[in-house]
Amino acid sequence: MTKKFSQEHEWIELEDGVATVGITDYAQQSLGDIVYVELPEVGKKLTKDGDAAVVESVKAASDVYAPLDGEIVEVNEELDDNPALVNEAPESDGWFFRMTLTDESQLDELMDEAAYKDFVEGL
């Protein structure tokens, strides 16, 4: 299980053909206190870099993009009652949705953790 990262600050982790997606620690720090998360519908088809979810903080609302093509199979319903979980554990329990991938080779287009850290340091 290797975590990959997008330039839009989403992470994705593939396990047994299902990818878990969330926002990075850098993204949640930039947003500040998360007050609401609008999750996609199960069954929604996503396209790479297309809108997938919305996260609202005390500072702003921000889109969460699909890191790859696929279909939503599960959403993290715990975020409905506890959106602050995104701040507390953005790269684990604060995940947004799980999806099946149309083309797993798209993972190769994303950054590994070291490349993402370099990318963030350059911002």
Side-chain angles (χ1 to χ4, degrees), residues 35-39 75-84:
V35 295
Y36 176 73
V37 177
E38 181 182 315
L39 296 168
V75 296
N76 188 353
E77 293 177 0
E78 194 169 342
L79 298 182
D80 290 338
D81 296 325
N82 185 13

Side-chain angles (χ1 to χ4, degrees), residues 40-88:
E41 296 281 324
V42 171
K44 180 177 180 180
K45 294 196 183 327
L46 301 177
T47 53
K48 186 177 188 293
D49 299 327
D51 293 348
V54 177
V55 60
E56 292 181 16
S57 70
V58 293
K59 293 182 185 178
S62 182
D63 289 326
V64 176
Y65 301 101
L68 303 172
D69 295 340
E71 183 176 330
I72 300 293
V73 294
E74 183 182 356
V75 296
N76 188 353
E77 293 177 0
E78 194 169 342
L79 298 182
D80 290 338
D81 296 325
N82 185 13
L85 192 56
V86 175
N87 294 117
E88 296 160 14

